[in-house]
Amino acid sequence: MSRPANPVTLPLADYSPQHFLLVVVDGVATVTLNRPERKNPLTFESYRELTDFFRACAFDDAVKSIVVTGAGGNFSSGGDVFEIIGPLVKMDTKGLTAFTRMTGDLVKAMRACPQPIVAAVEGICAGAGAIVAMASDMRLAASGAKVAFLFNKVGLAGCDMGACAILPRIIGQSRASELLYTGRFMTAEEGERWGFFSRIVTPEQVLPQAQVLAKQIAEGPTFANTMTKRMLAMEWAMSVEEAIEAEAVAQALCMTTADFERAFEAFANKVKPVFRGD
């Protein structure tokens, strides 16, 4: 599990990842898992490089939002059976704990990065791939997409990479329990009905529509969007009274930004505000 010799460099628009594709256009960074011949599985190296990328996003003001997708008609089949599962059965407890903490670091990095993340899910989205979709802020599905948290299918618990904390908050405790105990696939229709997916579109439109949504977000007030993401995460552990107070402080901070003043001036002049992120 050696680290990849490819440190993330800024600006991200000029960074060339080894283990996924990256394109930055109009403030939107599109991350594409790119092993289509194997349904885009994750490896030790791709886990780390993705984690480093999402951490680096906090230091690149030119990136306003992020889209995550997969190449070749599938999102991700999860951890590579031969490159990850095989070596794991030979590791001791210390090595296994280092691995599970490393995979969890990817979710931590996605949740901590200030930019909202949109997952464009097509085809198979399973195991750690389902976790990446779950850890995103919004998810769009292509018709025919299937999502499964497959951990119990390989003799493991469903409590992997934050699944027991995050999934019930998205789809509810009972539905999350069913998926985590059975490892069965959730259809796109179920996912939309349960709130996992915002909407279902054709396979040809899932990435373009995810990018349109991400661009809409990128054109918004960056500091305020970052604050929204932070509060959505922090308020999980707050009482309603604490949340209301925290939101009062957060909103007061947003009112000190130039974007807030720009929005007022645009409204007064009956034009669309152009936000600059300050």
Side-chain angles (χ1 to χ4, degrees):
M1 293 196 298
S2 60
R3 289 190 63 82
N6 189 39
V8 178
T9 54
L10 300 177
L12 292 172
D14 296 335
Y15 173 59
S16 298
Q18 291 182 351
H19 304 289
F20 56 90
L21 302 179
L22 175 64
V23 178
V24 180
V25 178
D26 294 333
V28 178
T30 298
V31 172
T32 304
L33 306 177
N34 190 39
R35 297 180 70 194
E37 72 284 357
R38 301 278 293 279
K39 297 183 174 65
N40 308 314
L42 298 176
T43 65
F44 295 124
E45 292 77 18
S46 60
Y47 269 118
R48 287 203 177 91
E49 193 171 33
L50 285 164
T51 300
D52 290 346
F53 164 77
F54 283 111
R55 286 175 175 160
C57 286
F59 303 101
D60 193 337
D61 292 339
V63 174
K64 310 293 187 182
S65 60
I66 302 164
V67 172
V68 180
T69 191
N74 292 289
F75 189 76
S76 173
S77 57
D80 188 286
V81 173
F82 298 103
E83 295 185 42
I84 286 187
I85 306 301
L88 290 181
V89 299
K90 301 176 182 178
M91 288 185 190
D92 60 13
T93 301
K94 181 179 179 181
L96 291 168
T97 304
F99 168 74
T100 53
R101 285 176 174 157
M102 183 266 289
T103 61
D105 281 345
L106 173 55
V107 174
K108 291 179 183 178
M110 293 177 69
R111 301 312 309 144
C113 97
Q115 295 87 345
I117 303 168
V118 183
V121 179
E122 183 181 359
I124 297 298
C125 177
I131 295 288
V132 170
M134 176 197 76
S136 301
D137 297 285
M138 294 150 278
R139 291 154 293 276
L140 274 60
S143 55
K146 299 190 297 182
V147 180
F149 298 83
L150 293 172
F151 308 110
N152 81 323
K153 296 292 188 181
V154 294
L156 298 177
C159 56
D160 199 49
M161 300 172 69
C164 286
I166 300 173
L167 189 61
R169 289 178 165 92
I170 299 172
I171 65 173
Q173 187 80 10
S174 179
R175 289 163 174 164
S177 297
E178 179 184 339
L179 295 182
L180 296 176
Y181 279 123
T182 67
R184 76 166 180 85
F185 278 97
M186 172 178 62
T187 66
E189 291 75 20
E190 284 179 314
E192 182 187 37
R193 190 168 68 247
W194 292 357
F196 189 81
F197 292 119
S198 299
R199 58 182 178 270
I200 302 172
V201 299
T202 65
E204 296 77 18
Q205 284 297 309
V206 66
L207 178 56
Q209 289 209 22
Q211 290 173 324
V212 167
L213 176 58
K215 190 170 186 296
Q216 290 175 340
I217 294 168
E219 291 173 347
T222 304
F223 181 83
N225 286 341
T226 296
M227 193 64 72
T228 298
K229 179 166 180 172
R230 288 280 183 264
M231 299 311 295
L232 281 168
M234 291 173 59
E235 290 181 35
W236 283 2
M238 294 180 183
S239 68
V240 173
E241 289 78 9
E242 290 169 332
I244 291 171
E245 174 60 21
E247 289 189 3
V249 174
Q251 198 70 297
L253 284 174
C254 291
M255 290 173 180
T256 68
T257 64
D259 273 345
F260 178 62
E261 186 175 349
R262 289 187 188 103
F264 170 74
E265 292 174 352
F267 179 81
N269 292 304
K270 299 182 179 180
V271 296
K272 182 179 179 180
V274 177
F275 296 113
R276 298 179 184 173
D278 59 346

